[in-house]
Amino acid sequence: MKINKKLAAFTAAAALLSASAAFASPGEYAAAERIGTALMEELTPESISVTVAPGGDVAWIDCAGASMSGIRIESLRLEAELKELPRGEEEGAELMKMISGSRGEMTLLERDVNAYFAGEREIRGFTGLKFDFTPKGYSAEGNFEADLSIVTINLALNAQGRLGLREDGVYLEDTVIYAEGLRQPEAVTSLVTDRVNPLLSFDKIPFPVEFTKLTMSDGDLLLTGSPGRSGQGERWSWKR
């Protein structure tokens, strides 16, 4: 009898834990799905997965092929802090307010930047603008045209500089521009860089994100705020 009582108590406890897990799990999965769906609308990625940790205080987000400022992002990882799990039918901005902040990591490829600016179409006054990323910075060449009140500027230019990380995006900085072999004055440099900057804006990420370091190499750019890797939890994913 004693053994049976212990077995019954163990079975009851196991059933209670199982019921509790089953009760908590859908809330975390639903939160992962709703966060992922909201980000799909903002970032139009090729694939996305969202994992919400047990208890619902952290979400890990992984995107491939997202779009920001019209430029394809090779990869984007976010470790987001959740104030609470969604309880009702919160959507869009209201849902994103439940994320108090995040740390991110992003890889941007030179080829994707160039694909954006490639072709016959004019983007921000440029045609055929092409970047070359190196560990020391960037170089670029292309045609630039701008109609001013007095004169029209049309330049085949070469530029050198570095990419800088700011709170709202990635900017061309310390840029020197040459046209027909001559270094251009600061007024022309500012006119050109103002048309590009920010090269990449973070405004499509609908909650605060922290990047603390920018590293360039041959062909790509890495931004990182040292987010943690995805842990255990309820996972939702989608692939185009």
Side-chain angles (χ1 to χ4, degrees):
M1 288 295 294
K2 289 183 179 180
I3 294 176
N4 289 339
K5 285 181 179 179
K6 289 181 179 178
L7 180 60
F10 175 81
T11 302
L16 180 61
L17 288 173
S18 178
S20 298
F23 178 77
S25 176
E28 290 153 8
Y29 179 83
E33 181 180 25
R34 292 174 65 191
I35 290 169
T37 301
L39 288 175
M40 281 173 56
E41 295 177 0
E42 294 289 339
L43 302 175
T44 60
E46 296 163 5
S47 66
I48 182 171
S49 69
V50 180
T51 302
V52 174
D57 58 343
V58 179
W60 296 280
I61 300 157
D62 288 89
C63 291
S67 179
M68 296 170 61
S69 300
I71 300 173
R72 180 184 180 274
I73 306 300
E74 175 70 6
S75 65
L76 174 65
R77 289 197 303 116
L78 299 164
E79 181 183 23
E81 299 174 2
L82 302 182
K83 297 177 184 177
E84 58 180 319
L85 287 175
R87 301 298 178 187
E89 296 299 324
E90 303 91 349
E91 298 293 343
E94 186 180 3
L95 177 64
M96 292 296 100
K97 285 180 181 179
M98 294 183 175
I99 299 177
S100 58
S102 67
R103 293 181 293 164
E105 185 164 285
M106 178 190 302
T107 300
L108 176 65
L109 301 183
E110 170 193 291
R111 71 186 184 199
D112 289 324
V113 174
N114 290 337
Y116 170 68
F117 284 104
E120 298 296 327
R121 59 188 182 136
E122 180 180 316
I123 300 177
R124 307 184 200 179
F126 296 93
T127 53
L129 184 61
K130 185 176 182 180
F131 284 85
D132 181 20
F133 291 174
T134 73
K136 293 183 178 180
Y138 79 88
S139 60
E141 60 182 22
N143 296 308
F144 175 72
E145 183 173 329
D147 290 321
L148 305 182
S149 56
I150 302 175
V151 66
T152 296
I153 294 179
N154 194 325
L155 298 174
L157 57 83
N158 291 277
Q160 296 178 349
R162 66 181 182 88
L163 295 181
L165 174 62
R166 301 186 191 177
E167 185 175 344
D168 63 334
V170 176
Y171 284 72
L172 307 188
E173 296 184 345
D174 300 334
T175 299
V176 177
I177 292 178
Y178 296 88
E180 297 183 0
L182 299 176
R183 179 168 175 165
Q184 298 301 296
E186 183 61 33
V188 173
T189 300
S190 295
L191 176 65
V192 172
T193 55
D194 286 351
R195 290 290 185 91
V196 177
N197 282 329
L199 176 65
L200 185 72
S201 172
F202 302 150
D203 64 357
K204 281 291 184 179
I205 303 176
F207 46 79
V209 60
E210 179 182 39
F211 298 103
T212 56
K213 185 178 179 181
L214 180 154
T215 304
M216 296 189 69
S217 60
D218 290 323
D220 62 50
L221 167 71
L222 175 68
L223 305 174
T224 187
S226 300
R229 291 287 177 180
S230 180
Q232 296 296 318
E234 292 293 333
R235 181 175 182 268
W236 173 89
S237 64
W238 174 90
K239 187 175 183 180
R240 187 182 301 170

